[in-house]
Amino acid sequence: MYNSKITGLGYFVPDNIVTNNDLKEFMDTSDEWIQERTGIKERRWIDPKTGENTSSMGVKAAKIAIERAGLTKDDIDFIVFATLSPDMYFPGGGVRVQDMLDMPTIGALDVRNQCSGFIYSLSVADQFIKTGMYKNILVIGSENHSGGLERSTRGRGVTVIFGDGAGAAVLSRTEEKGKGILSSHLHSEGKHARELMLDGPSTGRWVPEILEANDPEDQSYYPYMNGQFVFKHAVTRFSEAIVEGLQANNLEKEDIDMLIPHQANLRIAQFIQKKFRLPDDNVYNNIMNYGNTTAASVIIALTEAWEKGKIKDNDLVVLAAFGSGFTWGSVMIRW
């Protein structure tokens, strides 16, 4: 069995900054209200005039990651693309990236695990490399939330939270023992699926019915979230996934050099930090600048932390995420 390690990182966010005060133009809210509940100060939303989309953002992040890995697009053997907001209902973003980067006809897999999408994707890529099937895999998390949010007071509980952006990592084969991805741990609990979801469009109420109804009050096309219920489960499952990873590798919480939690809510991250008694330098958060970018959040934060020199050789880096599904998981990395 081979080991896999991250050899390149990159991220891209739109130039268009939307502050909490900007949101007051179309909903009853305030900067204080949003920061108190989420920790978010601003987020990036795609400017429709730019023509940017989920796949194009992923491509921009991927180019940076591939270059930093010292590779070319032709060295990539496989693509794993995580998103809940593909450009089209089908096909997914993986094949779009393959085309936009003018890559050989390599395989492309799409992962639809929402907030834990990058964790799941990294785990999938790790298995392909460990077994020797592939040598270099491009793993992308990218989201275009802004185009599907309800920009009104009715939708503010969800709309204020989400932002657009993309991150990418190149995962490569290594024979160096004890380095790279040590383990990954994935879970789900589908009985809570409707606590955080987007109900339409779906094959349960498909195109003919949608066209016939033409109901302007139909809210099924906007995301729904039972915020308190999600928060309660998130803090529990985050902790469990981190502990599981530590125990699997005979490590203690004191061994964590950097925790990168999914940027869902700053209050969740702060709760986890306090529970594990981690100093500020050992946890990286950027939700205040980007909001929740779902499948892109962990990889954007990981890239930023690495760029700022907060992750060093031989550090124990823990990635953790929880989200819709419910799905959650962790990845333990020896940098």
Side-chain angles (χ1 to χ4, degrees):
M1 297 282 284
Y2 297 99
N3 285 350
S4 63
K5 64 183 295 186
I6 293 174
T7 55
L9 292 167
Y11 79 95
F12 171 84
V13 291
D15 292 332
N16 183 38
I17 298 173
V18 179
T19 67
N20 292 340
N21 286 326
D22 291 333
L23 298 179
K24 289 160 51 175
E25 296 179 10
F26 46 81
M27 66 173 64
D28 180 14
T29 190
S30 70
D31 178 60
E32 182 183 19
W33 188 88
I34 296 170
Q35 287 203 51
E36 179 184 343
R37 287 160 177 77
T38 68
I40 300 168
K41 298 178 181 179
E42 59 187 40
R43 72 285 294 144
R44 304 296 181 97
W45 282 359
I46 290 173
D47 181 344
K49 294 191 292 290
T50 66
E52 204 74 77
N53 55 47
T54 304
S55 300
S56 66
M57 290 191 298
V59 165
K60 290 177 179 178
K63 287 180 177 178
I64 298 169
I66 292 170
E67 181 179 357
R68 286 175 170 172
L71 302 173
T72 72
K73 62 181 179 61
D74 295 333
D75 295 315
I76 302 299
D77 305 312
F78 195 68
I79 300 166
V80 185
F81 191 99
T83 189
L84 65 75
S85 52
D87 303 333
M88 299 173 273
Y89 193 87
F90 69 86
V95 296
R96 297 264 289 157
V97 169
Q98 181 273 334
D99 176 51
M100 290 178 180
L101 286 176
D102 192 27
M103 289 173 152
T105 55
I106 58 174
L109 173 69
D110 287 85
V111 172
R112 294 288 298 274
N113 280 79
Q114 296 69 248
C115 294
S116 58
F118 184 76
I119 299 295
Y120 268 73
S121 296
L122 204 58
S123 176
V124 168
D126 178 45
Q127 307 312 308
F128 275 126
I129 288 177
K130 276 186 166 64
T131 59
M133 185 168 184
Y134 297 122
K135 187 175 180 181
N136 298 301
I137 298 180
L138 177 61
V139 186
I140 297 172
S142 183
E143 300 289 5
N144 172 10
H145 288 302
S146 60
L149 297 173
E150 184 176 14
R151 303 188 187 192
S152 69
T153 299
R154 186 177 72 175
R156 68 182 174 183
V158 171
T159 300
V160 302
I161 296 172
F162 292 96
D164 303 336
V170 175
L171 201 63
S172 299
R173 181 190 302 174
T174 177
E175 296 186 24
E176 189 176 4
K177 301 300 181 185
K179 283 291 188 80
I181 295 181
L182 303 179
S183 63
S184 56
H185 310 272
L186 310 176
H187 297 276
S188 70
E189 192 173 22
K191 69 180 180 181
H192 300 309
R194 301 195 72 81
E195 304 299 337
L196 177 52
M197 57 108 186
L198 195 154
D199 201 26
S202 73
T203 53
R205 182 172 174 270
W206 206 213
V207 177
E209 291 86 354
I210 294 170
L211 292 174
E212 183 178 357
N214 192 26
D215 181 4
E217 297 302 315
D218 186 355
Q219 298 181 54
S220 67
Y221 306 103
Y222 295 118
Y224 166 79
M225 178 173 65
N226 183 343
Q228 291 184 337
F229 189 89
V230 173
F231 188 102
K232 174 184 172 183
H233 280 73
V235 295
T236 300
R237 298 309 192 184
F238 259 111
S239 300
E240 290 177 354
I242 294 168
V243 169
E244 183 180 12
L246 292 171
Q247 291 178 345
N249 294 281
N250 297 313
L251 296 166
E252 304 293 334
K253 62 180 183 293
E254 292 78 14
D255 295 315
I256 298 174
D257 296 298
M258 180 56 69
L259 170 64
I260 308 283
H262 160 55
Q263 305 296 294
N265 186 308
L266 187 59
R267 309 305 164 221
I268 295 174
Q270 290 170 335
F271 183 94
I272 300 302
Q273 178 179 349
K274 183 177 180 181
K275 181 170 184 176
F276 284 87
R277 298 179 182 176
L278 296 173
D280 290 345
D281 288 341
N282 291 47
V283 182
Y284 191 80
N285 291 298
N286 61 4
I287 189 172
M288 59 287 295
N289 299 322
Y290 303 125
N292 180 354
T293 55
T294 313
S297 82
V298 170
I299 180 58
I300 290 175
L302 176 62
T303 303
E304 274 199 340
W306 173 79
E307 288 179 347
K308 293 178 179 180
K310 294 180 178 293
I311 298 175
K312 303 174 182 65
D313 187 55
N314 213 45
D315 276 357
L316 177 67
V317 179
V318 180
L319 313 180
F322 172 91
S324 173
F326 289 152
T327 62
W328 65 94
S330 63
V331 176
M332 316 296 289
I333 303 171
R334 180 65 69 184
W335 206 259

